[in-house]
Amino acid sequence: MKLVFLGPPGAGKGTIAARAREHYQIPHISTGDLFRTHIKEHTPLGSEVEAILGRGDLVPDAITVEMVRERLSADDAQRGFILDGFPRTIAQADALAQMARLDYVVNFVLDEEVIIARLSGRRVCKSTGRIYHILYDPPKVDGIDDESGEVLIQRDDDKPEAIHNRLLVYQRQTFPLIGYYRSMGLLVDIDAKGTPLEVFARLKAELGF
Ligand code: AMP
């Protein structure tokens, strides 16, 4: 199954994708995570994009599309995948159409106040990638990853100035993809309120398994 997860930052795409990966046995491909890995490993691409991510702007389409093309050509992506955070522009969606035939585009729908609350309380573990929320999904020990014991961090782009910019960028550049995919008959709207368990149950019900 070839899925795209679409929706504003903070709608829970990454959290639900982690569950969907297990359930559907397909890789979870997050362009945000791929960029963050490059930054952590100090690759040339990482240094090119670090400031862009810090501001919450979009990485240029050509760079992003090439990175996704390479990832989708790997063996594990031939049977299916969950693309999380890609495409984010019409140009990226056009490029993706040349690379794969999608089954569904899942649109996570959530109010702006909830988005802001989710993003500002989000904490992550740099090594395991696990996502927590200080109120809604806290770790067992305050500020510490359950698995690795490492200190959780707040992503630079989850700080207030960057959150505001990311929501603007989403409205301007990514929101038009809803109409794009709806007109192709691929869009499935999912109410992204509630716990990950509730949202994932809605997703399975919509996709039929
Ligand atoms: P995310 O983890 O999906 O919120 O992505 C974090 C950041 O990575 C975004 O704010 C962008 O700077 C960059 N990024 C991720 N996916 C894309 C994309 N499809 N196009 C351009 N930039 C992206």
Side-chain angles (χ1 to χ4, degrees):
M1 187 157 54
K2 297 184 174 168
L3 300 176
V4 161
F5 280 8
L6 189 67
K13 302 184 297 294
T15 303
I16 301 302
R19 289 170 184 254
R21 174 185 62 190
E22 298 293 318
H23 183 78
Y24 298 115
Q25 293 289 306
I26 46 180
H28 166 205
I29 302 173
S30 154
T31 41
D33 285 349
L34 292 174
F35 286 131
R36 282 185 288 274
T37 301
H38 277 282
I39 293 170
K40 197 167 82 184
E41 292 175 355
H42 303 288
T43 69
L45 175 59
S47 42
E48 206 174 333
V49 303
E50 185 165 11
I52 301 177
L53 266 80
R55 288 194 301 270
D57 288 333
L58 292 187
V59 173
D61 286 335
I63 296 177
T64 309
V65 165
E66 260 336 287
M67 183 177 75
V68 170
R69 192 190 306 283
E70 198 183 314
R71 180 64 187 85
L72 290 186
S73 69
D75 284 349
D76 69 336
Q78 303 316 304
R79 275 187 40 245
F81 51 75
I82 303 160
L83 271 175
D84 160 15
F86 181 93
R88 263 174 154 99
T89 64
I90 299 279
Q92 291 179 11
D94 286 340
L96 177 60
Q98 307 297 315
M99 296 180 223
R101 239 179 97 101
L102 300 174
D103 295 297
Y104 298 102
V105 175
V106 181
N107 179 35
F108 288 73
V109 180
L110 197 65
D111 289 342
E112 191 159 311
E113 309 91 86
V114 187
I115 292 172
I116 293 171
R118 281 196 186 167
L119 289 174
S120 43
R122 175 158 72 181
R123 298 291 182 275
V124 293
C125 173
K126 255 192 159 171
S127 48
T128 66
R130 176 142 175 215
I131 305 166
Y132 299 85
H133 190 282
I134 50 175
L135 301 177
Y136 314 136
D137 184 18
K140 293 189 182 108
V141 179
D142 203 19
I144 302 292
D145 183 58
D146 291 350
E147 213 179 293
S148 66
E150 284 182 30
V151 174
L152 301 178
I153 57 146
Q154 181 174 39
R155 282 167 45 174
D156 281 344
D157 60 350
D158 283 342
K159 296 179 180 156
E161 327 73 67
I163 289 179
H164 179 70
N165 188 39
R166 286 162 74 203
L167 291 174
L168 272 178
V169 167
Y170 169 76
Q171 275 305 327
R172 287 193 191 134
Q173 314 233 55
T174 309
F175 185 78
L177 289 176
I178 295 175
Y180 175 101
Y181 283 123
R182 203 185 296 284
S183 70
M184 291 179 173
L186 290 174
L187 204 76
V188 175
D189 288 311
I190 295 279
D191 175 5
K193 270 198 307 294
T195 64
L197 200 68
E198 289 163 343
V199 179
F200 186 51
R202 286 181 208 129
L203 175 70
K204 283 190 293 186
E206 280 291 339
L207 302 190
F209 67 106

